[in-house]
Amino acid sequence: MSIEGSATETRSDKGPFPRLLINLEAVASNTKKVAELCHSRGIELVAVTKVTLADPEIALTMRRNGADKLGDSRLMNILRLKSNGVPGPFQLLRIPMRSELEYVVKHVDEVLASMPEVVLELDSLAGRVHRNIGIIYMIDVGDLREGVWYERAFEEIVEVARKVRHARVVGIGTNVGCYGGVLPSVENTNALLSIRRRLEEALGYQLKVSGGSTVNLKMLEDGSLPDGVTQFRVGEGIILGTDATGDRDIPYLRQDTVLFEAEVVEVDYKPSVPVGEVGKDAFGRRPHFEDRGWRRRVILAAGEQDIKPDGLKPLLEGAKVLHASSDHLIVDVTETGKEFSVGDVLTFRMSYGCALRAFTSPYVSKQKV
Ligand SMILES: *Cc1c(COP(=O)(O)O)cnc(C)c1O
């Protein structure tokens, strides 16, 4: 048994645990739904694979079910997909490191960028390897992550788009809901669209508008998205059926796409408040305890190396995650009305951050169901 787990493992009730159960049918269904929604408004769907560590089977499922492109924030993930024969085109989501530009030009079809010098270097490399690469120039409309500040965007982009000879500025894009938690709105979308109009006039060709991520789906659903956005980059919605920034389960998507399972290694009955003087926990946090008397608890064999405890949602009603250290996850099962034994398995849904960690942990086996 390999600790890595592999894409070819089949499900068995004997583990290995902890594990992720990946339902490819649900991935297919979610991709189809999101693709239909996007395509009905003439929007290209870039399905984002980064939360899955670019799992080739998941990516292929997305590509076969309506995703027009695959996007990932890490070049290494795009290389993984390519070496597994997953068809592109591929978009690099994270503005690239200077040290990787040569590989970006060789392997990526479309790249998000936000610095003139990076675009110019991509351009000269593109000339050298005779490979065209499309650049989406990022504009910050208020979330304060990447992109040229919107008030300076027109001047900066016109200048650089006129200079490139081999690469091409094919569009502009924006990102919300990531640092500032800013929600997409008609106002911030219109800000982007008005920059696009001025750029198209100045440059004399049409530009794509890469308008957002999972959180923007809401605007497609309620019809409030202004006309003119041509591309969405969606990860969380497809993989988890949720929208963390919008704080909702997306009603027409499945949430059973990826589940986490861990095995019980201790069943106990203990007080809810520790005995002895309390300092900080293993991660420098000062734990807080509410006295709820003696509680039935289980310890599961998983921890901070595998999951984010506050991002785990037990499927079993009444179960409550209390805490995790590196390798021990403590769950209060008093309210479940169930008797537990060592060897039992608990199943959880996950937040985006928790799923990211589980996919990234080499200790969590990945099994397709
Ligand atoms: C991760 C990422 C996305 C996808 O975001 P989701 O919330 O997972 O849909 C889109 N664009 C960029 C630039 C990203 O880094």
Side-chain angles (χ1 to χ4, degrees):
M1 177 184 92
S2 108
I3 201 170
E4 284 278 354
S6 84
T8 53
E9 268 167 358
T10 50
R11 183 176 185 186
S12 99
D13 286 335
K14 292 198 157 57
F17 296 105
R19 65 182 179 183
L20 280 176
L21 297 178
I22 301 161
N23 186 333
L24 290 175
E25 221 176 84
V27 173
S29 156
N30 283 358
T31 310
K32 270 188 202 144
K33 290 267 169 58
V34 174
E36 274 165 23
L37 191 58
C38 288
H39 294 163
S40 73
R41 294 286 306 274
I43 292 171
E44 173 188 51
L45 172 63
V46 180
V48 173
T49 51
K50 67 189 184 204
V51 74
T52 71
L53 221 67
D55 179 293
E57 277 185 89
I58 295 179
L60 192 60
T61 304
M62 290 166 146
R63 194 66 185 82
R64 284 190 177 146
N65 287 279
D68 304 295
K69 271 198 184 99
L70 296 171
D72 205 291
S73 46
R74 303 201 179 222
L75 185 62
M76 200 189 271
N77 282 352
I78 290 176
L79 296 180
R80 181 180 184 204
L81 293 176
K82 288 187 107 168
S83 68
N84 279 278
V86 178
F90 296 101
Q91 185 185 66
L92 183 63
L93 297 172
R94 184 172 65 190
I95 47 177
M97 294 184 272
R98 203 160 188 178
S99 57
E100 67 185 357
L101 293 182
E102 199 182 322
Y103 298 95
V104 172
V105 166
K106 281 188 189 145
H107 296 285
V108 171
D109 304 291
E110 203 166 87
V111 57
L112 309 187
S114 67
M115 299 289 289
E117 63 253 51
V118 170
V119 173
L120 295 177
E121 197 162 333
L122 281 169
D123 185 51
S124 94
L125 287 165
R128 231 182 291 158
V129 302
H130 303 291
R131 191 164 182 275
N132 214 328
I133 183 164
I135 293 161
I136 304 268
Y137 210 98
M138 295 301 277
I139 298 175
D140 184 349
V141 295
D143 192 54
L144 304 183
R145 203 176 74 176
E146 76 275 46
V148 51
W149 188 248
Y150 66 98
E151 290 163 317
R152 282 189 285 110
F154 174 76
E155 288 75 15
E156 184 168 309
I157 297 172
V158 160
E159 194 183 335
V160 73
R162 281 181 175 150
K163 278 189 192 153
V164 289
R165 292 282 166 270
H166 311 285
R168 184 172 166 91
V169 177
V170 294
I172 56 174
T174 197
N175 203 64
V176 290
C178 276
Y179 174 74
V182 169
L183 291 166
S185 65
V186 173
E187 291 72 37
N188 54 34
T189 307
N190 277 335
L192 196 65
L193 290 169
S194 91
I195 296 166
R196 195 261 302 257
R197 263 192 301 279
R198 294 172 61 204
L199 283 170
E200 285 184 341
E201 273 167 31
L203 295 171
Y205 66 89
Q206 290 201 326
L207 291 168
K208 302 187 193 188
V209 177
S210 187
S213 56
T214 297
V215 66
N216 296 70
L217 290 174
K218 191 84 181 39
M219 297 179 84
L220 270 186
E221 295 161 28
D222 63 22
S224 65
L225 187 80
D227 280 332
V229 175
T230 60
Q231 184 185 77
F232 267 30
R233 313 173 304 262
V234 180
E236 183 189 356
I238 295 173
I239 300 300
L240 296 168
T242 54
D243 167 8
T245 307
D247 192 24
R248 64 176 183 143
D249 286 349
I250 301 174
Y252 51 91
L253 298 180
R254 290 175 61 167
Q255 285 82 37
D256 62 347
T257 325
V258 190
L259 297 172
F260 178 77
E261 291 191 333
E263 182 176 342
V264 173
V265 289
E266 181 181 299
V267 181
D268 60 33
Y269 185 61
K270 290 184 183 175
S272 39
V273 176
V275 176
E277 193 183 338
V278 172
K280 288 185 177 173
D281 76 359
F283 289 85
R285 305 169 291 208
R286 194 171 290 283
H288 172 77
F289 301 96
E290 186 192 337
D291 192 354
R292 308 181 68 200
W294 282 63
R295 309 292 292 176
R296 290 188 196 288
R297 321 170 332 153
V298 294
I299 298 179
L300 302 173
E304 290 273 1
Q305 285 201 65
D306 316 297
I307 45 91
K308 270 166 68 87
D310 58 5
L312 281 177
K313 304 161 211 171
L315 293 192
L316 179 66
E317 199 162 336
K320 187 169 181 284
V321 174
L322 293 178
H323 192 76
S325 50
S326 320
D327 311 294
H328 299 75
L329 173 64
I330 306 173
V331 181
D332 186 323
V333 292
T334 315
E335 320 281 327
T336 65
K338 240 188 78 114
E339 288 297 323
F340 281 88
S341 323
V342 163
D344 284 349
V345 171
L346 275 182
T347 308
F348 303 84
R349 275 180 57 186
M350 290 168 291
S351 69
Y352 187 81
C354 184
L356 181 68
R357 195 174 288 179
F359 270 104
T360 309
S361 172
Y363 304 103
V364 177
S365 84
K366 285 82 182 177
Q367 296 180 33
K368 308 290 164 25
V369 299

